[in-house]
Amino acid sequence: MTPPLSSKLQRQRKREILLACVFLLVMAAFAGRLVQLQVVEHSRWRELAERQMYNTAHEPMPRGEIRDRNGMPMAVTLPLSYAVGFRPSDNIPRDSMTTILSEYLPLSSDVIRRKLDARGYTYLARRVDWQVQQQIEDLELPGIEFVREARRSYPATVAAGTAVGFTNVDGIGQNGIEQALDSLLSGDKRDVLVWNDARRAVPAVMSPMDDALTYSGANVYLTIDLQLQAILDNCMSTGLADKKFEKACALLLDPHTGEVLGLSTVPQFDPNSPGDTDGEFRRCWPVTDLFEPGSIFKVVTVGAGLEEGIVQPSTMIDCEGGNYRVPGKTLHDAHSYDVLSVSEVFAKSSNIGCAKIAERMSADVVYKWITRFGFGTKTNTGLYYEPSGIVPKPAHWSGPTRSNLAIGQGVSVTALQIAAAYASIANGGLLMQPKLIRALEFPTGEKVNFDPVAMGPVLSPEHATELTRMMELVVKDGTGKAAGIEGVRIAGKTGTAQKVNFAEKTYYSNRYVSSFAGFFPADNPLYVLMVVVDDPRGAGYYGGQISAPVFASIAREILEERHPELLPEPKVESAGDTLKSEIETDSSEHEKFAFDTLKYVDVPRVRMPNLIGLPLRSAAKQMEFAGLDIDLEGYGVVFSQYPPAGEMVPLGFSCRVAARPMGSAAYASTN
């Protein structure tokens, strides 16, 4: 029987009401959830969303510069350098991308492909120039990302490279001043808000997180003088060009302040390309490496004898004909000497004579004078890894120790310690702390200068003068004749020390450290200079043969550049004679020079300064000071000049000077 129509309608209506109630309940629940999310938990969900969309990055501020004492840049930060990264995803044409990227990046195709096959984010290249970055970005390659980063540049290239140091790809200082003052050079890091896309890439920087004051790094002024540094580098390279050795260095100090004016190492190190140099030669080894000094250490023995009053320069000492037995060994001299004065003992570098001076002092007294000269104590230049040196205490001495120490054996020192000790003699007896850092300049405008620091008196002025006279005899009539410069008083001492064979616990019979240390002019010392050649090979390994000539060439060029009045006057020629000799020369350059100077016949002549290695600004100042005009070509650092240095040229003459950026192929080819 068919149910009545009214019953069907009633059931349908009930279902509709039930569905409506269910819908209303669902909508009420949904609305309630929306209220919970949008009102009750709004702050929480907004924070979670922002965490996904935005992130905090630490943006480094520009790194401070390293400059020489005159403000010339030695390390600067170049903007607009980029890291090129790759974020892998599906369906990326890696083969074609490899081919394309190999045209822009300094990497082989194999290296690029291996990086593109990485499972996670990887850097393809670092420190890419902004021009190259722009070219790659225009290609719109999938997965390629860019991160802006600063690039460190060293416009002075190899000049004091080991002292300056370098930074790694992350901008962290490695070696030298870059490492020692990394926190000061780096400055602050500010927090910036960055927007992340769906792949967690960082396509944009939004804004700084706060208004906190942040600063770039401090600028560091070194005591290095780039003009003097160029002289050291050029003379070391030229003077040792035909020699075989392991390494060599030259240190130039101001004896009155202790400032390091130049520090040259061979092999040279260019911080722009640290990977091209072995790690051993990247560090500032004149400050960090120890060696036994040999005879250059005899200034300590003789100086102590003078101060203790046990000898005078005229005191006679029996040198035993070249052989002398001491406890545990027999001492030998290079030549057979009988009786010599103390001055002659020093000038001829008699081992036996120096040992006999030490025998007149107790062990404690000998030790006292070694340490008073600064040995066994760090010089505290600020560089990392600087050692104190090794000076055995008297309690640990054996039979021959006293005699060994008297001649520079059994004690380990750094080249900088030796230079500082010689500076104390040059300035009249005061030991000055060696300085490599002259000042700090902060972004606030504050500048902190570091004044000279006296470590204490070593010698009386009278005994410093007596020791200086003995050192002059070394150059005039002793082992250091090759260090002499006609008309200039040079004081110095040679050293030829046997290298230690640590494996056999003895000395090599054919390996040496050859050196010459001294100062000039001896009657009014302006510079202390030390030249060390480690492990010279072949003939001429004595310090007087290999190091002294380099010393002389450096000293001569410094005097020509900075103090020509201290050199003897050159032979004066009349203007007509000079022009005649110039016109008769076969050199086309000299012919042109002679022709150009015809109109200057009656004009006084001046000496052409040496501009090689100088920045153009410094070269222009030198020419202005000399009263000469300058015809400039190029920019950067001078690599060519005409007339050459030392030429007598008419006052007001226009001289040609060519410059190139340091590190360029053109510059390198001329050096």
Side-chain angles (χ1 to χ4, degrees), residues 550-569:
V550 178
F551 179 103
S553 66
I554 294 173
R556 183 182 297 107
E557 191 158 340
I558 288 175
L559 292 175
E560 288 176 352
E561 287 304 307
R562 294 292 179 88
H563 311 280
E565 71 281 0
L566 299 179
L567 293 169
E569 287 292 329

Side-chain angles (χ1 to χ4, degrees), residues 448-525:
V448 178
N449 296 303
F450 296 100
D451 296 327
V453 176
M455 306 302 290
V458 179
L459 301 171
S460 67
E462 294 78 14
H463 291 142
T465 299
E466 289 178 346
L467 196 52
T468 297
R469 289 171 182 162
M470 295 185 200
M471 295 169 68
E472 287 189 77
L473 287 176
V474 172
V475 179
K476 289 180 180 178
D477 193 34
T479 57
K481 292 179 181 178
I485 300 175
E486 184 178 356
V488 180
R489 293 172 62 180
I490 304 291
K493 183 70 184 76
T494 57
T496 309
Q498 289 178 288
K499 294 193 69 170
V500 179
N501 184 339
F502 292 101
E504 301 295 332
K505 296 182 179 180
T506 184
Y507 290 93
Y508 289 105
S509 61
N510 59 350
R511 299 183 65 183
Y512 305 91
V513 175
S514 302
S515 57
F516 188 91
F519 46 86
F520 59 94
D523 49 334
N524 181 26

Side-chain angles (χ1 to χ4, degrees), residues 301 304-312 315 356-361:
T301 304
L306 293 174
E307 283 291 320
E308 290 293 325
I310 60 174
V311 295
Q312 298 295 327
T315 302
K356 285 194 170 186
I357 294 174
E359 286 178 351
R360 302 185 184 189
M361 295 179 281

Side-chain angles (χ1 to χ4, degrees), residues 617-658:
R617 186 171 64 179
S618 297
K621 288 183 179 179
Q622 288 283 328
M623 293 292 283
E624 181 182 0
F625 180 77
L628 299 171
D629 289 337
I630 185 170
D631 180 11
L632 299 175
E633 176 184 332
Y635 66 96
V637 175
V638 176
F639 76 93
S640 175
Q641 68 176 70
Y642 194 84
E647 190 97 30
M648 299 302 293
V649 296
L651 192 67
F653 187 72
S654 182
C655 306
R656 298 194 302 276
V657 174

Side-chain angles (χ1 to χ4, degrees), residues 325-331 398-401:
R325 183 69 185 176
V326 298
K329 65 184 296 185
T330 299
L331 287 179
S398 61
T401 301

Side-chain angles (χ1 to χ4, degrees), residues 5 44 95 141 162 167 184 234 245 341 343 368 387 456 468 484 524 608 610 629 640 652:
L5 179 60
R44 173 173 175 265
D95 289 337
L141 299 175
T162 59
T167 60
L184 285 170
N234 292 338
F245 54 93
S341 68
S343 293
K368 176 189 71 175
T468 297
N524 181 26
M608 178 69 181
N610 185 1
D629 289 337
S640 175

